[in-house]
Protein backbone atom coordinates (compact mmCIF):
# COMPACT_ATOMS: atom_id res chain seq x y z
CA UNK A 1 0.00 0.00 0.00
CA UNK A 2 1.45 3.37 -1.04
CA UNK A 3 0.58 6.25 1.29
CA UNK A 4 1.18 9.93 0.64
CA UNK A 5 1.58 11.82 3.93
CA UNK A 6 1.09 15.56 4.47
CA UNK A 7 2.33 17.51 7.50
CA UNK A 8 1.82 21.25 8.07
CA UNK A 9 1.00 21.47 11.79
CA UNK A 10 3.77 23.91 12.68
CA UNK A 11 6.59 25.43 10.61
CA UNK A 12 7.52 22.55 8.29
CA UNK A 13 5.71 22.09 4.98
CA UNK A 14 6.19 18.38 4.36
CA UNK A 15 4.98 15.69 1.95
CA UNK A 16 6.26 12.11 1.87
CA UNK A 17 5.47 8.87 0.08
CA UNK A 18 5.85 5.62 2.05
CA UNK A 19 5.24 2.03 0.92
CA UNK A 20 3.75 -0.46 3.43
CA UNK A 21 4.62 1.74 6.43
CA UNK A 22 8.35 1.13 6.00
CA UNK A 23 9.86 2.01 2.67
CA UNK A 24 10.27 5.78 2.33
CA UNK A 25 10.09 6.58 -1.39
CA UNK A 26 10.19 10.36 -0.89
CA UNK A 27 10.48 12.62 2.15
CA UNK A 28 10.35 16.33 1.33
CA UNK A 29 10.55 18.79 4.23
CA UNK A 30 10.55 22.50 3.57
CA UNK A 31 11.55 24.29 6.79
CA UNK A 32 10.36 27.87 7.30
CA UNK A 33 12.66 28.40 10.24
CA UNK A 34 14.54 31.32 8.70
CA UNK A 35 11.30 33.35 8.67
CA UNK A 36 10.62 32.72 12.38
CA UNK A 37 14.12 32.93 13.90
CA UNK A 38 14.07 36.70 14.40
CA UNK A 39 10.90 36.39 16.52
CA UNK A 40 12.38 33.71 18.80
CA UNK A 41 9.53 31.30 17.99
CA UNK A 42 6.96 30.35 15.35
CA UNK A 43 4.54 33.13 14.36
CA UNK A 44 1.27 31.35 13.41
CA UNK A 45 0.12 33.79 10.71
CA UNK A 46 3.56 33.80 9.07
CA UNK A 47 3.61 29.98 9.17
CA UNK A 48 0.20 29.66 7.45
CA UNK A 49 1.25 32.01 4.66
CA UNK A 50 4.47 30.10 3.94
CA UNK A 51 2.56 26.79 3.89
CA UNK A 52 0.25 28.24 1.24
CA UNK A 53 3.23 29.47 -0.79
CA UNK A 54 5.00 26.09 -0.74
CA UNK A 55 2.46 23.28 -0.40
CA UNK A 56 1.85 22.62 -4.12
CA UNK A 57 5.57 22.64 -4.90
CA UNK A 58 6.29 20.24 -2.05
CA UNK A 59 3.53 17.85 -3.30
CA UNK A 60 5.05 17.93 -6.80
CA UNK A 61 8.58 17.39 -5.53
CA UNK A 62 7.54 14.39 -3.41
CA UNK A 63 5.83 12.69 -6.36
CA UNK A 64 8.84 13.41 -8.56
CA UNK A 65 11.26 11.96 -5.99
CA UNK A 66 9.10 8.86 -5.55
CA UNK A 67 8.86 8.60 -9.34
CA UNK A 68 5.10 8.07 -9.09
CA UNK A 69 1.95 9.52 -10.60
CA UNK A 70 -0.99 10.60 -8.41
CA UNK A 71 -2.99 7.54 -9.47
CA UNK A 72 -0.25 5.26 -8.05
CA UNK A 73 -1.12 6.47 -4.53
CA UNK A 74 -3.51 4.28 -2.49
CA UNK A 75 -4.15 6.55 0.47
CA UNK A 76 -3.64 10.22 1.41
CA UNK A 77 -2.93 10.82 5.13
CA UNK A 78 -2.76 14.25 6.70
CA UNK A 79 -2.08 15.69 10.17
CA UNK A 80 -5.40 17.00 11.50
CA UNK A 81 -4.38 17.80 15.11
CA UNK A 82 -2.74 19.03 17.28
CA UNK A 83 -1.09 22.09 15.78
CA UNK A 84 -1.48 25.69 14.67
CA UNK A 85 -4.98 25.92 13.26
CA UNK A 86 -4.16 28.10 10.23
CA UNK A 87 -1.25 25.82 9.33
CA UNK A 88 -3.28 22.63 9.72
CA UNK A 89 -6.02 24.00 7.45
CA UNK A 90 -3.55 24.46 4.59
CA UNK A 91 -2.36 20.83 4.77
CA UNK A 92 -5.85 19.40 5.24
CA UNK A 93 -7.28 21.33 2.29
CA UNK A 94 -4.37 20.41 0.04
CA UNK A 95 -4.63 16.73 1.01
CA UNK A 96 -8.42 16.67 0.55
CA UNK A 97 -8.21 18.40 -2.83
CA UNK A 98 -5.51 15.99 -4.01
CA UNK A 99 -7.50 12.94 -2.84
CA UNK A 100 -10.72 14.22 -4.39
CA UNK A 101 -9.12 15.19 -7.72
CA UNK A 102 -7.50 11.77 -8.12
CA UNK A 103 -10.27 9.70 -6.49
CA UNK A 104 -8.04 8.45 -3.66
CA UNK A 105 -8.81 7.26 -0.12
CA UNK A 106 -8.27 9.97 2.53
CA UNK A 107 -7.54 9.74 6.27
CA UNK A 108 -6.74 12.24 9.05
CA UNK A 109 -4.15 11.41 11.68
CA UNK A 110 -2.83 12.71 14.98
CA UNK A 111 0.60 14.37 14.88
CA UNK A 112 1.77 12.75 18.14
CA UNK A 113 0.87 9.28 16.87
CA UNK A 114 2.91 10.22 13.79
CA UNK A 115 5.95 10.90 16.00
CA UNK A 116 5.48 7.48 17.62
CA UNK A 117 5.17 5.71 14.24
CA UNK A 118 8.35 7.45 12.99
CA UNK A 119 10.11 4.67 14.91
CA UNK A 120 8.47 1.99 12.77
CA UNK A 121 10.34 3.11 9.64
CA UNK A 122 13.58 1.58 10.92
CA UNK A 123 12.49 -0.58 13.86
CA UNK A 124 9.81 -3.24 14.20
CA UNK A 125 7.34 -2.87 17.09
CA UNK A 126 7.18 -5.35 19.97
CA UNK A 127 4.18 -5.12 22.30
CA UNK A 128 3.49 -4.11 25.00
CA UNK A 129 5.45 -1.03 24.01
CA UNK A 130 6.15 2.17 25.93
CA UNK A 131 6.61 5.40 23.96
CA UNK A 132 8.31 8.39 25.53
CA UNK A 133 7.03 11.33 23.47
CA UNK A 134 9.26 14.39 23.81
CA UNK A 135 8.58 17.20 21.36
CA UNK A 136 8.33 20.98 21.29
CA UNK A 137 4.67 20.82 22.29
CA UNK A 138 4.27 17.50 24.16
CA UNK A 139 5.83 15.32 26.82
CA UNK A 140 3.96 12.05 27.35
CA UNK A 141 4.40 8.42 28.32
CA UNK A 142 2.17 6.30 26.08
CA UNK A 143 1.48 2.58 26.45
CA UNK A 144 0.67 0.60 23.29
CA UNK A 145 -0.63 -2.95 23.58
CA UNK A 146 -1.03 -3.25 19.81
CA UNK A 147 -0.88 -1.13 16.65
CA UNK A 148 -3.18 1.86 16.86
CA UNK A 149 -3.91 1.39 20.57
CA UNK A 150 -2.70 4.28 22.67
CA UNK A 151 -3.07 4.77 26.43
CA UNK A 152 -1.57 7.93 27.91
CA UNK A 153 0.02 6.98 31.26
CA UNK A 154 1.19 10.51 32.02
CA UNK A 155 1.95 13.87 30.49
CA UNK A 156 3.36 17.25 31.34
CA UNK A 157 1.23 19.43 33.57
CA UNK A 158 2.87 22.60 32.22
CA UNK A 159 5.75 23.05 29.73
CA UNK A 160 6.81 20.44 27.20
CA UNK A 161 10.45 19.48 27.51
CA UNK A 162 11.33 20.80 24.01
CA UNK A 163 9.70 24.13 24.83
CA UNK A 164 11.85 24.26 27.98
CA UNK A 165 15.03 23.58 25.94
CA UNK A 166 14.06 26.39 23.57
CA UNK A 167 13.43 28.85 26.39
CA UNK A 168 16.65 28.00 28.25
CA UNK A 169 18.58 28.34 24.98
CA UNK A 170 16.94 31.68 24.28
CA UNK A 171 18.04 33.19 27.60
CA UNK A 172 21.56 32.01 26.79
CA UNK A 173 21.34 33.92 23.50
CA UNK A 174 20.93 30.89 21.20
CA UNK A 175 18.81 30.89 18.03
CA UNK A 176 15.37 29.25 17.90
CA UNK A 177 14.88 26.28 18.00
CA UNK A 178 17.67 25.95 20.56
CA UNK A 179 17.29 22.29 21.67
CA UNK A 180 20.10 20.86 19.55
CA UNK A 181 22.43 23.77 20.46
CA UNK A 182 21.77 23.35 24.21
CA UNK A 183 22.48 19.62 23.78
CA UNK A 184 25.80 20.45 22.10
CA UNK A 185 26.75 22.97 24.82
CA UNK A 186 25.80 20.44 27.52
CA UNK A 187 28.38 18.02 26.14
CA UNK A 188 31.09 20.67 26.54
CA UNK A 189 30.30 21.33 30.22
CA UNK A 190 29.86 19.60 33.57
CA UNK A 191 26.64 19.68 35.60
CA UNK A 192 28.03 21.97 38.33
CA UNK A 193 24.91 24.01 39.05
CA UNK A 194 22.34 22.73 41.47
CA UNK A 195 19.00 22.55 39.62
CA UNK A 196 15.82 20.79 40.78
CA UNK A 197 14.74 17.28 39.80
CA UNK A 198 10.95 17.46 39.68
CA UNK A 199 9.33 14.05 40.13
CA UNK A 200 5.76 14.89 41.35
CA UNK A 201 5.74 12.01 43.84
CA UNK A 202 1.97 11.46 43.88
CA UNK A 203 1.64 11.81 40.16
CA UNK A 204 4.05 9.16 39.09
CA UNK A 205 3.91 9.36 35.28
CA UNK A 206 3.10 13.05 34.90
CA UNK A 207 5.85 15.60 34.34
CA UNK A 208 6.46 19.23 35.23
CA UNK A 209 9.22 21.24 33.59
CA UNK A 210 8.26 24.85 34.34
CA UNK A 211 10.05 24.76 37.75
CA UNK A 212 13.29 23.63 36.12
CA UNK A 213 12.96 26.36 33.49
CA UNK A 214 12.31 29.01 36.18
CA UNK A 215 15.30 27.76 38.21
CA UNK A 216 17.58 28.37 35.20
CA UNK A 217 16.11 31.85 34.61
CA UNK A 218 16.44 32.73 38.33
CA UNK A 219 20.03 31.54 38.44
CA UNK A 220 20.91 33.73 35.46
CA UNK A 221 19.06 36.77 36.87
CA UNK A 222 20.61 36.57 40.30
CA UNK A 223 24.10 36.05 38.82
CA UNK A 224 23.55 39.14 36.66
CA UNK A 225 22.49 41.24 39.67
CA UNK A 226 25.51 40.10 41.66
CA UNK A 227 27.81 40.64 38.67
CA UNK A 228 28.84 36.96 38.70
CA UNK A 229 29.89 35.05 35.58
CA UNK A 230 27.82 32.04 34.53
CA UNK A 231 29.45 29.27 32.53
CA UNK A 232 26.85 28.50 29.84
CA UNK A 233 28.24 25.06 29.02
CA UNK A 234 28.04 24.04 32.69
CA UNK A 235 24.55 25.53 32.96
CA UNK A 236 23.40 23.64 29.83
CA UNK A 237 24.94 20.44 31.25
CA UNK A 238 23.14 20.98 34.59
CA UNK A 239 19.80 21.67 32.88
CA UNK A 240 20.16 18.68 30.58
CA UNK A 241 21.14 16.48 33.50
CA UNK A 242 17.96 17.37 35.44
CA UNK A 243 15.61 17.08 32.45
CA UNK A 244 17.08 13.81 31.19
CA UNK A 245 17.19 12.15 34.63
CA UNK A 246 13.50 12.72 35.28
CA UNK A 247 12.54 11.54 31.77
CA UNK A 248 14.72 8.46 32.08
CA UNK A 249 13.66 7.51 35.63
CA UNK A 250 9.93 7.74 34.85
CA UNK A 251 10.34 5.81 31.61
CA UNK A 252 12.20 2.98 33.33
CA UNK A 253 9.66 2.90 36.18
CA UNK A 254 6.75 2.64 33.73
CA UNK A 255 8.61 0.02 31.64
CA UNK A 256 8.96 -2.13 34.78
CA UNK A 257 5.37 -1.67 35.96
CA UNK A 258 3.83 -2.48 32.57
CA UNK A 259 6.43 -5.16 31.75
CA UNK A 260 7.01 -3.77 28.29
CA UNK A 261 8.97 -5.51 25.56
CA UNK A 262 10.15 -2.29 23.93
CA UNK A 263 10.75 1.37 24.77
CA UNK A 264 10.67 3.85 21.89
CA UNK A 265 11.44 7.55 22.01
CA UNK A 266 9.56 9.98 19.76
CA UNK A 267 9.57 13.69 18.84
CA UNK A 268 12.23 16.35 18.32
CA UNK A 269 13.92 15.80 21.70
CA UNK A 270 14.45 12.12 20.74
CA UNK A 271 17.43 13.55 18.83
CA UNK A 272 19.01 14.58 22.16
CA UNK A 273 22.36 12.86 22.74
CA UNK A 274 22.14 13.11 26.53
CA UNK A 275 18.72 11.41 26.54
CA UNK A 276 19.88 8.69 24.13
CA UNK A 277 22.94 7.95 26.28
CA UNK A 278 21.05 7.97 29.60
CA UNK A 279 18.28 5.67 28.34
CA UNK A 280 20.78 3.28 26.74
CA UNK A 281 22.54 2.99 30.11
CA UNK A 282 19.35 2.73 32.19
CA UNK A 283 17.71 0.09 29.98
CA UNK A 284 20.55 -2.31 30.85
CA UNK A 285 18.92 -2.92 34.22
CA UNK A 286 15.80 -4.31 32.48
CA UNK A 287 15.64 -7.84 31.12
CA UNK A 288 15.29 -8.10 27.35
CA UNK A 289 13.76 -4.69 26.71
CA UNK A 290 14.50 -3.30 23.25
CA UNK A 291 15.28 0.43 23.11
CA UNK A 292 14.61 2.21 19.80
CA UNK A 293 14.96 5.75 18.48
CA UNK A 294 13.96 7.11 15.08
CA UNK A 295 16.73 8.16 12.69
CA UNK A 296 17.59 11.83 13.33
CA UNK A 297 15.73 13.00 10.20
CA UNK A 298 12.51 11.37 11.47
CA UNK A 299 12.75 12.81 15.03
CA UNK A 300 11.65 16.33 14.10
CA UNK A 301 8.52 17.08 12.07
CA UNK A 302 8.23 15.26 8.75
CA UNK A 303 5.49 13.71 6.62
CA UNK A 304 6.93 10.17 6.40
CA UNK A 305 5.78 9.58 9.99
CA UNK A 306 2.29 10.84 9.05
CA UNK A 307 2.14 8.41 6.12
CA UNK A 308 3.05 5.53 8.49
CA UNK A 309 0.43 6.64 11.06
CA UNK A 310 -2.14 6.82 8.23
CA UNK A 311 -1.19 3.35 7.03
CA UNK A 312 -1.83 1.82 10.48
CA UNK A 313 -4.99 3.79 11.18
CA UNK A 314 -6.38 2.72 7.81
CA UNK A 315 -5.56 -0.95 8.54
CA UNK A 316 -7.31 -0.79 11.92
CA UNK A 317 -10.44 0.79 10.41
CA UNK A 318 -10.37 -1.75 7.60
CA UNK A 319 -10.19 -4.63 10.11
CA UNK A 320 -13.27 -3.36 11.94
CA UNK A 321 -15.40 -3.26 8.74
O1 LIG B 1 8.75 17.15 17.37
P1 LIG B 1 9.19 18.51 16.93
O2 LIG B 1 9.85 18.66 15.62
O3 LIG B 1 8.02 19.53 16.94
C1 LIG B 1 6.86 19.41 17.69
O4 LIG B 1 5.97 18.60 17.32
O5 LIG B 1 6.79 20.14 18.71
O6 LIG B 1 10.16 19.01 18.10
C2 LIG B 1 10.82 20.22 18.05
C3 LIG B 1 11.53 20.40 19.37
C4 LIG B 1 12.11 21.80 19.57
O7 LIG B 1 11.71 22.26 20.85
C5 LIG B 1 13.62 21.57 19.51
O8 LIG B 1 14.37 22.50 20.25
C6 LIG B 1 13.72 20.17 20.08
O9 LIG B 1 12.63 19.48 19.51
N1 LIG B 1 14.99 19.50 19.74
C7 LIG B 1 15.89 19.13 20.67
C8 LIG B 1 16.99 18.53 19.98
N2 LIG B 1 16.70 18.56 18.64
C9 LIG B 1 15.46 19.16 18.52
N3 LIG B 1 15.88 19.24 22.02
C10 LIG B 1 16.93 18.76 22.70
N4 LIG B 1 18.01 18.20 22.10
C11 LIG B 1 18.08 18.04 20.76
N5 LIG B 1 19.15 17.48 20.19
ZN1 LIG C 1 6.13 17.38 16.05
Amino acid sequence: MIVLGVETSCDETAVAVVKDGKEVLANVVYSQIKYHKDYGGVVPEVASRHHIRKITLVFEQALREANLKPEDIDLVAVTAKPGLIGSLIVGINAAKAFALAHDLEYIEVDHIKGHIYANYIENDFHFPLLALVVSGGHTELVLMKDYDQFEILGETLDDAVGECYDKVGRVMGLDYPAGALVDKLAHQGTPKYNLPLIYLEKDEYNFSFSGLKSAVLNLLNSAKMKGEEVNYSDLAASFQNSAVRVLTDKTIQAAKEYKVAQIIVAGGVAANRGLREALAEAVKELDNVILSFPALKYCTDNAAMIAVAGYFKYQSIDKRK
Side-chain angles (χ1 to χ4, degrees):
M1 176 179 227
I2 297 182
V3 186
L4 180 134
V6 182
E7 158 62 40
T8 63
S9 68
C10 192
D11 60 336
E12 265 92 19
T13 317
V15 177
V17 183
V18 181
K19 190 176 172 194
D20 298 332
K22 278 253 180 235
E23 199 185 329
V24 180
L25 305 177
N27 182 39
V28 182
V29 182
Y30 168 73
S31 169
Q32 311 174 350
I33 205 65
K34 60 177 183 268
Y35 300 105
H36 301 285
K37 262 199 165 93
D38 287 349
Y39 303 101
V42 177
V43 183
E45 173 70 14
V46 173
S48 314
R49 285 172 189 268
H50 285 293
H51 285 309
I52 290 174
R53 200 168 61 83
K54 282 285 174 182
I55 190 77
T56 311
L57 295 171
V58 173
F59 259 82
E60 285 168 1
Q61 194 182 333
L63 285 169
R64 213 168 33 245
E65 270 182 24
N67 204 11
L68 293 174
K69 295 188 281 305
E71 50 277 20
D72 299 325
I73 305 293
D74 299 306
L75 173 70
V76 179
V78 61
T79 304
K81 69 171 174 58
L84 303 172
I85 194 67
S87 293
L88 288 167
I89 285 173
V90 178
I92 291 171
N93 280 326
K96 273 186 182 166
F98 184 80
L100 205 62
H102 300 289
D103 199 18
L104 307 171
E105 296 267 6
Y106 167 89
I107 203 163
E108 296 185 348
V109 304
D110 182 290
H111 181 81
I112 302 302
K113 292 176 183 171
H115 274 302
I116 291 175
Y117 278 121
N119 277 272
Y120 185 79
I121 297 169
E122 278 152 345
N123 308 287
D124 286 333
F125 279 7
H126 304 271
F127 302 106
L129 174 158
L130 180 70
L132 171 66
V133 180
V134 277
S135 73
H138 291 77
T139 307
E140 289 176 1
L141 274 169
V142 180
L143 181 68
M144 289 177 76
K145 292 191 179 140
D146 201 348
Y147 294 103
D148 238 45
Q149 285 186 18
F150 304 89
E151 183 191 338
I152 297 177
L153 302 178
E155 61 195 326
T156 182
L157 303 178
D158 40 59
D159 294 356
V161 67
E163 193 182 344
C164 209
Y165 264 93
D166 293 336
K167 184 72 196 194
V168 165
R170 189 175 173 173
V171 293
M172 294 199 286
L174 304 175
D175 271 349
Y176 176 85
L181 299 169
V182 173
D183 187 13
K184 203 169 154 204
L185 261 187
H187 277 83
Q188 293 159 6
T190 39
K192 284 187 187 148
Y193 296 100
N194 194 12
L195 294 174
L197 289 161
I198 298 165
Y199 283 101
L200 305 170
E201 298 303 340
K202 287 192 217 90
D203 232 350
E204 49 186 354
Y205 298 128
N206 283 338
F207 298 93
S208 168
F209 288 104
S210 68
L212 175 59
K213 178 184 76 182
S214 304
V216 173
L217 304 191
N218 291 342
L219 189 147
L220 282 168
N221 280 338
S222 79
K224 199 171 163 192
M225 283 192 295
K226 290 184 206 151
E228 289 170 2
E229 286 260 331
V230 173
N231 181 314
Y232 280 179
S233 303
D234 291 345
L235 184 59
S238 311
F239 164 73
Q240 177 139 306
N241 186 52
S242 284
V244 162
R245 264 179 66 187
V246 174
L247 290 169
T248 304
D249 289 348
K250 291 201 182 231
T251 304
I252 298 297
Q253 192 187 336
K256 281 183 188 158
E257 181 176 342
Y258 292 93
K259 298 187 175 53
V260 302
Q262 185 175 16
I263 296 172
I264 64 172
V265 190
V269 187
N272 187 274
R273 255 176 70 197
L275 181 61
R276 286 181 177 233
E277 288 163 4
L279 276 169
E281 190 53 39
V283 91
K284 287 183 190 159
E285 70 171 271
L286 306 174
D287 273 344
N288 285 325
V289 174
I290 301 161
L291 174 66
S292 323
F293 296 89
L296 290 182
K297 65 179 168 190
Y298 300 127
C299 286
T300 43
D301 290 350
N302 65 87
M305 67 185 200
I306 301 305
V308 183
Y311 170 78
F312 281 106
K313 185 172 176 187
Y314 187 81
Q315 310 265 320
S316 73
I317 293 170
D318 224 34
K319 262 189 240 156
R320 277 183 243 130
K321 270 184 192 167

